[in-house]
Amino acid sequence: MKPYVIGVDLGGTNTVFGVVDQIGNVIADNSIKTQKYATAAEFVTAGVECLKPIIERVGGLNNIQGMGIGAPNGNYYKGTIEFAPNLSWGHNGVVPLAQMFSEQLGGLGVKLTNDANAAAMGEMKYGIAKDMKNFIVITLGTGVGSGIVINGQLVYGCDGFAGELGHVIMVRGGNGRQCGCGRKGCLEAYCSATGVARTAKEILTTSDRASVLRQKPLDTLEALDVNIAANNGDEVAIDIYNMTGKMLGEACADFTAFSSPEAFIFFGGLCHAGELLMKPIRESYEASVLPIFRNKAKFLISGLMDKNAAVLGASALGWEV
Amino acid sequence: MKPYVIGVDLGGTNTVFGVVDQIGNVIADNSIKTQKYATAAEFVTAGVECLKPIIERVGGLNNIQGMGIGAPNGNYYKGTIEFAPNLSWGHNGVVPLAQMFSEQLGGLGVKLTNDANAAAMGEMKYGIAKDMKNFIVITLGTGVGSGIVINGQLVYGCDGFAGELGHVIMVRGGNGRQCGCGRKGCLEAYCSATGVARTAKEILTTSDRASVLRQKPLDTLEALDVNIAANNGDEVAIDIYNMTGKMLGEACADFTAFSSPEAFIFFGGLCHAGELLMKPIRESYEASVLPIFRNKAKFLISGLMDKNAAVLGASALGWEV
């Protein structure tokens, strides 16, 4: 067994590459902008360039056991990204990303999974879920992703794509918001960082409520602005978190009817809101869930967010090759 | 190992007791009306009376290895029925049913699970899912139940209650139909046999469309009437199946986002409608599901419905004691 693996967190905005040792330290990392490239081939070439200096830091490819990638719509069984709605170079077909990286890295073994599954692996190996057998990680970033663990195993389903909880339908009948996946009313269209920004724009354009959010041009509003405003007591911003948390709590109530997890673990940028988001999630969940499940599930924020959990989780796949 | 086990299918209407041999033949069976009793104790006493003649048929309790019960809101870990919304003697608390039967059956080992989980065990052991590792059984009876198999294992969750897919919310915002669980808008309130009868009553009272269903007093309309009418080409009855199938297909699309099963297996009285129900389910599913999942899942009707699959599935637990 060689001493290092590479972990890759392929997100909607940034792709982070990390070299990880056998006890889970990220020795070196580097990143590129995910959407800057017109084709998957250009993305892979840029990724390999980005990897070179950090691979050299640990003595070259000869010291790397394998590579694991966490990516949206990643298929564990096939090593592909398939019809990833939020990737400019990946929404329109099947990208054999594991093979493409392997070919440019001297035949290095490369495995790939859903980015949120990688986060769940990180929680199970290094994080808050070390002692849990049944939990669900929900990632609140550019999109909404999920990694589901049942009986101590990641759920991949029959085709490797299970765990797309950002795409359950929360608003039915064709009245929901357009989602990047081509359908309407998905959880992701409301509760991702982009969904939160859309909620802000909706409130600001359909009401005349006072808010510091009006100081910025509407087109430039981001979830981070809502976070700052809410922390400063802005009532519109606080309402936005209440609405977001209410829907997340209702969605989690349905997820519990499925697998009755011990905990929901939230991960990603929106979680920096802390109790502003977690309190309405918990309240909505307890008010919505089937009575037999009340007051059982824990609602936690990942402790690994500053520690590259997604890179760590993905890197664990590198030991499997 | 003794030569026989007892399997019990505790349904909203009937409770069927069967003595089963080691290769899955139901040697003898008998039944009682589930809701005829004021208390759980009276139900158990009646059940034991009902069991006596069929136990005698195989030479008495000495020849019985154990007993398995499939019951609504059944808890595998604890052997209890907890807050079962559709049971007159079980909706209001925790009934230690496994222990109660054991005490009246000379200390016989008794295990208990969700009735739909028992059906899923039956499909996996004797039925259409023999070669599947990821599938979901959906029971369409008095209520809507589910048994979920992932990686070849029944999903029980952290508390033993996972797999309550009849209680995901399909109509949100407080506008849904009242469900027996105390909440509004559950799948079960629309797509169970009672839900189908409610849909019929709604259409007949809010429109003047011609239908043979009008020949019966509204209060006495049942799902079976809708089935007969639809088979005779009654357009209102066919529409009722289309509406029911549409919602089931949308719900299954969400379930696929969770566990991406190889197949959905439908079980229970409503399935006698055959293609009248299955065709709108499939069409709605394929129109609703996330693009990466299209044209993958199979939609099947249990082949075990006339063979006491629930009794057989529950009986399998009897060998575990």
Side-chain angles (χ1 to χ4, degrees):
Chain A
M1 191 70 78
K2 295 169 184 174
Y4 301 102
V5 286
I6 297 169
V8 184
D9 171 25
L10 197 163
T13 307
N14 298 308
T15 297
V16 183
F17 299 82
V19 173
V20 179
D21 70 11
Q22 297 192 31
I23 55 171
N25 294 309
V26 179
I27 302 296
D29 61 15
N30 205 356
S31 68
I32 58 176
K33 291 285 171 194
T34 306
Q35 311 269 14
K36 201 178 139 188
Y37 308 94
T39 66
E42 286 174 32
F43 169 80
V44 171
T45 300
V48 170
E49 282 306 309
C50 171
L51 270 168
K52 277 182 184 164
I54 62 173
I55 291 174
E56 285 314 308
R57 286 263 296 279
V58 295
L61 264 175
N62 284 339
N63 284 333
I64 308 286
Q65 175 68 25
M67 174 161 140
I69 305 172
N73 290 40
N75 187 314
Y76 176 76
Y77 299 136
K78 295 196 258 174
T80 53
I81 293 181
E82 305 191 13
F83 303 98
N86 292 320
L87 291 183
S88 54
W89 47 263
H91 68 280
N92 212 6
V94 177
V95 178
L97 202 68
Q99 187 193 330
M100 289 167 77
F101 268 108
S102 178
E103 283 170 2
Q104 292 206 32
L105 290 168
L108 185 73
V110 181
K111 289 216 168 195
L112 185 152
T113 191
N114 190 300
D115 49 349
N117 286 344
M121 288 182 69
E123 293 299 338
M124 195 157 45
K125 251 188 121 65
Y126 309 108
I128 209 165
K130 261 182 198 156
D131 299 320
M132 295 184 195
K133 295 280 182 208
N134 293 281
F135 67 94
I136 297 178
V137 169
I138 296 180
T139 62
L140 303 172
T142 308
V144 173
S146 62
I148 304 165
V149 172
I150 289 177
N151 293 336
Q153 302 166 329
L154 251 298
V155 175
Y156 290 115
C158 74
D159 60 353
F161 288 125
E164 285 289 349
L165 298 184
H167 296 282
V168 299
I169 303 297
M170 297 303 292
V171 180
R172 296 191 186 277
N175 301 319
R177 283 187 192 165
Q178 184 66 47
C179 181
C181 73
R183 304 176 310 151
K184 285 185 175 174
C186 293
L187 180 64
E188 170 167 303
Y190 296 86
C191 297
S192 60
T194 42
V196 165
R198 284 169 82 173
T199 304
K201 289 170 200 168
E202 271 183 20
I203 294 179
L204 295 175
T205 52
T206 59
S207 80
D208 56 3
R209 295 176 64 186
S211 170
V212 296
L213 295 172
R214 293 191 188 278
Q215 293 169 5
K216 243 189 135 178
L218 264 189
D219 291 349
T220 66
L221 266 185
E222 293 181 1
L224 184 60
D225 301 310
V226 180
N227 188 359
I228 294 166
N231 275 313
N232 287 327
D234 185 86
E235 285 189 12
V236 167
I238 290 168
D239 274 1
I240 292 167
Y241 277 120
N242 285 339
M243 292 161 70
T244 307
K246 180 171 186 294
M247 185 179 282
L248 282 168
E250 289 180 9
C252 288
D254 278 354
F255 304 157
T256 288
F258 201 104
S259 71
S260 189
E262 178 178 344
F264 291 93
I265 302 170
F266 292 87
F267 184 92
L270 277 195
C271 301
H272 292 300
E275 275 299 291
L276 281 170
L277 182 64
M278 297 305 284
K279 186 164 178 278
I281 291 177
R282 284 195 307 269
E283 288 176 355
S284 160
Y285 175 86
E286 295 298 348
S288 306
V289 79
L290 195 63
I292 48 165
F293 297 120
R294 277 183 201 146
N295 300 312
K296 289 182 178 174
K298 293 190 273 282
F299 287 80
L300 308 169
I301 294 178
S302 168
L304 294 177
M305 287 197 292
D306 301 325
K307 293 181 184 166
N308 262 335
V311 168
L312 283 175
S315 78
L317 287 175
W319 299 113
E320 289 183 9
V321 301
Chain B
M1 189 70 77
K2 294 170 182 173
Y4 301 102
V5 286
I6 297 169
V8 184
D9 171 25
L10 196 163
T13 307
N14 297 307
T15 297
V16 182
F17 299 83
V19 174
V20 179
D21 70 12
Q22 298 193 34
I23 55 170
N25 293 309
V26 179
I27 303 295
D29 61 15
N30 204 355
S31 68
I32 58 176
K33 290 285 170 196
T34 305
Q35 311 268 15
K36 201 178 140 189
Y37 309 94
T39 66
E42 286 174 32
F43 169 80
V44 170
T45 300
V48 170
E49 283 305 309
C50 171
L51 269 168
K52 276 182 184 163
I54 62 172
I55 291 173
E56 284 314 310
R57 286 265 294 279
V58 295
L61 265 176
N62 284 339
N63 284 333
I64 306 283
Q65 175 67 24
M67 174 162 140
I69 305 173
N73 290 38
N75 188 314
Y76 176 76
Y77 299 136
K78 296 196 259 174
T80 52
I81 291 181
E82 304 190 17
F83 303 99
N86 293 320
L87 291 183
S88 54
W89 46 262
H91 68 279
N92 213 5
V94 176
V95 178
L97 202 67
Q99 187 193 330
M100 290 167 76
F101 268 108
S102 179
E103 283 170 1
Q104 292 208 31
L105 290 167
L108 184 73
V110 180
K111 289 217 166 193
L112 185 152
T113 191
N114 189 299
D115 48 349
N117 286 344
M121 289 183 67
E123 294 298 339
M124 196 157 45
K125 251 187 119 67
Y126 309 108
I128 209 165
K130 261 182 198 157
D131 299 319
M132 295 183 195
K133 295 281 182 206
N134 294 280
F135 67 94
I136 298 178
V137 169
I138 296 181
T139 62
L140 303 173
T142 308
V144 174
S146 62
I148 303 166
V149 172
I150 290 177
N151 294 336
Q153 301 166 330
L154 253 297
V155 175
Y156 290 115
C158 74
D159 60 354
F161 288 124
E164 285 289 349
L165 297 184
H167 296 281
V168 298
I169 304 297
M170 296 304 292
V171 180
R172 296 191 186 277
N175 300 319
R177 283 187 193 164
Q178 184 67 46
C179 181
C181 73
R183 304 176 311 152
K184 286 185 175 175
C186 293
L187 180 64
E188 171 167 303
Y190 296 85
C191 298
S192 59
T194 41
V196 164
R198 284 168 83 172
T199 303
K201 288 169 201 165
E202 272 183 20
I203 294 180
L204 296 175
T205 51
T206 59
S207 79
D208 55 5
R209 295 176 65 186
S211 170
V212 296
L213 295 172
R214 293 191 188 278
Q215 293 168 5
K216 242 188 135 176
L218 265 189
D219 290 351
T220 66
L221 265 185
E222 293 181 1
L224 185 60
D225 302 311
V226 180
N227 189 358
I228 294 166
N231 275 313
N232 287 327
D234 186 86
E235 284 187 15
V236 166
I238 290 169
D239 274 2
I240 292 167
Y241 277 120
N242 285 339
M243 292 162 70
T244 307
K246 180 171 186 292
M247 186 180 282
L248 281 168
E250 289 181 10
C252 288
D254 278 355
F255 305 157
T256 288
F258 202 103
S259 71
S260 188
E262 178 179 343
F264 291 94
I265 302 171
F266 292 87
F267 184 92
L270 275 195
C271 301
H272 292 301
E275 276 299 291
L276 281 169
L277 182 65
M278 297 304 283
K279 186 163 178 280
I281 291 178
R282 284 195 306 269
E283 288 176 354
S284 160
Y285 175 86
E286 296 297 349
S288 307
V289 79
L290 194 63
I292 47 166
F293 296 120
R294 278 183 200 146
N295 300 310
K296 289 181 178 173
K298 292 190 274 281
F299 289 80
L300 307 169
I301 294 178
S302 169
L304 294 176
M305 286 197 292
D306 301 326
K307 294 179 181 166
N308 263 335
V311 168
L312 283 177
S315 77
L317 287 174
W319 299 112
E320 288 182 10
V321 301

